[in-house]
Amino acid sequence: MQNRKLGRNSDHRKALLRNMATEVVLRGKIETTEKKAMELRSVVDGLITTAKKGDLAARRQAAAYLRNVTNKDGKTAVQVLFDLAEKYADRKGGYTKVTKTAVRRGDNAPMATIELV
């Protein structure tokens, strides 16, 4: 599988994507670097596609990937993900949108926001 290394070893990269995917599911929108957002898009789209199956195996698979955190309403990330899956039931794909923003002041890195459509 070809993926971006993002300047990290594989364990750190996987943990980074898990944390960021959890935050996108809970918050709906985050700002990060452009390369991380592009890599994260496929992860979040895959999670929503898995959640659209709606069975217990899909719930277990999503729970194994997402962190066990809650949002301000007290819902866990898995519960929010399956609520999103109902929202996107008639959509075939493309659940996220990456929008380029300004550059970061400290190191001039190109920034982008990734949000759920």
Side-chain angles (χ1 to χ4, degrees):
M1 182 173 126
Q2 182 69 26
N3 57 359
R4 294 183 183 94
K5 293 187 178 181
L6 303 173
R8 292 159 171 81
N9 61 22
S10 61
D11 290 337
H12 190 186
R13 185 173 54 250
K14 289 174 190 173
L16 173 80
L17 291 174
R18 285 181 66 188
N19 291 335
M20 291 174 69
T22 302
E23 291 302 315
V24 168
V25 168
L26 287 177
R27 298 173 190 251
K29 177 180 180 178
I30 62 170
E31 184 175 10
T32 183
T33 63
E34 192 177 314
K35 298 294 181 181
K36 289 179 194 172
M38 295 295 180
E39 191 69 23
L40 183 62
R41 177 173 36 185
S42 65
V43 173
V44 175
D45 285 351
L47 281 171
I48 293 174
T49 302
T50 301
K52 283 174 63 174
K53 294 178 186 175
D55 58 351
L56 186 59
R59 186 171 291 271
R60 286 181 180 157
Q61 188 175 3
Y65 191 81
L66 295 174
R67 288 180 30 235
N68 189 16
V69 294
T70 58
N71 63 1
K72 61 185 176 193
D73 299 331
K75 287 187 168 184
T76 64
V78 177
Q79 291 171 334
V80 173
L81 178 67
F82 276 79
D83 290 344
L84 287 173
E86 292 174 6
K87 177 183 171 186
Y88 296 127
D90 57 342
R91 194 175 180 101
K92 298 279 187 211
Y95 312 109
T96 55
K97 176 174 72 170
V98 175
T99 307
K100 295 179 183 180
T101 58
V103 294
R104 190 162 50 197
R105 185 172 178 209
D107 59 354
N108 207 26
M111 299 297 285
T113 58
I114 180 168
E115 60 186 322
L116 297 170
V117 178

